[in-house]
């Protein structure tokens, strides 16, 4: 018996942290060095098998981080079951922005939404400004899942979505 479940997932975070690149890596298993910034939001889907019996289809809203689209974001996260709040380990300000988005989600999203804090650009370890410990501590305080990924190398991207799927109410 095979179960098929669909979940709405939204990506939030400061501009240029790599939200679209993470989605591109997950959906197309590719990476582009120079990406155009997202306008409004982009919709993509990807299906993964999380265990022998369960297939999960993610309906992904990749939002734009720019200020002028900020008010639109609530349209995408209001009915989302999962959110990836992304920051860039080389940009200090991006963790503050991630904190802002987590607060927004707690105010306005479904109370049972699964939120993952995602540290991107793990390949730029030499330029790291935000330590694993700092981010993990913040995630623990707010009961968020925490993952470190690189959209560029693909490290941990698929596992992140898989772990999020496993936290969602299947059945
Ligand atoms: P978004 O605005 O959050 O959607 O960010 P983009 O996906 O458009 O990425 C912004 C820039 O960061 C682009 O130049 C990407 O190529 C680059 N980028 C994204 N992810 C990574 C990563 O994991 N490692 C490195 N080195 N660069 C990345
Ligand atoms: Mg984008």
């Amino acid at each position: 018996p095979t179960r098929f479940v669909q979940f709405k997932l939204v990506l939030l975070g400061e501009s240029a942290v790599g939200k679209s690149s993470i989605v591109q890596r997950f959906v197309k298993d590719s990476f582009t060095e120079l990406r155009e910034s997202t306008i409004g939001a982009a919709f993509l889907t990807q299906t993964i098998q999380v265990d022998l019996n369960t297939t999960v289809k993610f309906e992904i809203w990749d939002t734009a981080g720019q200020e002028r689209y900020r008010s639109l974001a609530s349209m995408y996260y209001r009915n989302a079951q999962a959110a990836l709040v992304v920051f860039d380990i080389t940009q200090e300000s991006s963790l503050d922005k991630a904190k802002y988005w987590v607060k927004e989600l707690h105010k306005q999203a479904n109370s049972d939404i699964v939120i993952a804090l995602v540290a991107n650009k793990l390949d730029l370890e030499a330029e790291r400004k935000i330590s694993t410990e700092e981010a993990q501590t913040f995630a623990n305080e707010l009961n968020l899942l925490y993952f470190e990924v690189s959209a560029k190398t693909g490290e941990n991207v698929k596992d992140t979505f898989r772990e999020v799927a496993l936290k969602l109410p299947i059945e």
Side-chain angles (χ1 to χ4, degrees):
T2 295
R3 283 176 298 192
F4 182 83
V5 220
Q6 270 173 261
F7 294 114
K8 288 191 170 63
L9 178 146
V10 65
L11 283 98
L12 298 164
E14 190 169 69
S15 210
V17 294
K19 299 178 295 297
S20 299
S21 298
I22 289 170
V23 175
Q24 187 189 335
R25 173 58 73 187
F26 179 54
V27 172
K28 301 201 180 102
D29 199 16
S30 66
F31 177 77
T32 322
E33 202 65 57
L34 284 172
R35 291 193 47 94
E36 290 166 28
S37 61
T38 310
I39 299 188
F43 178 74
L44 296 101
T45 66
Q46 175 65 303
T47 302
I48 56 168
Q49 191 163 354
V50 293
D51 64 36
L52 274 177
N53 298 317
T54 313
T55 301
V56 168
K57 179 181 179 185
F58 280 108
E59 299 182 326
I60 304 168
W61 283 101
D62 171 23
T63 65
Q66 297 94 325
E67 291 304 311
R68 68 196 134 116
Y69 297 117
R70 219 194 243 202
S71 61
L72 288 178
S74 66
M75 293 200 318
Y76 304 107
Y77 60 70
R78 218 172 268 149
N79 56 0
Q81 285 127 310
L84 302 188
V85 179
V86 183
F87 70 95
D88 171 351
I89 63 165
T90 73
Q91 294 297 328
E92 232 146 356
S93 63
S94 69
L95 185 60
D96 294 329
K97 198 58 169 284
K99 291 177 180 176
Y100 162 84
W101 284 117
V102 172
K103 229 183 270 171
E104 281 296 297
L105 289 169
H106 284 152
K107 272 194 273 183
Q108 302 204 51
N110 293 338
S111 57
D112 56 357
I113 190 169
V114 173
I115 305 174
L117 181 66
V118 179
N120 188 36
K121 309 199 185 179
L122 205 50
D123 57 289
L124 299 178
E125 187 61 43
E127 295 163 48
R128 187 194 272 269
K129 302 270 169 38
I130 299 167
S131 70
T132 300
E133 195 193 356
E134 180 184 358
Q136 179 81 69
T137 299
F138 166 64
N140 290 350
E141 277 167 10
L142 291 174
N143 252 316
L144 316 174
L145 302 171
Y146 179 63
F147 302 99
E148 298 197 330
V149 308
S150 168
K152 186 170 181 173
T153 65
E155 184 176 356
N156 215 23
V157 171
K158 207 171 171 203
D159 285 342
T160 294
F161 282 87
R162 193 170 174 277
E163 290 295 323
V164 168
L166 290 169
K167 295 287 179 195
L168 288 162
I170 292 169
E171 274 172 334

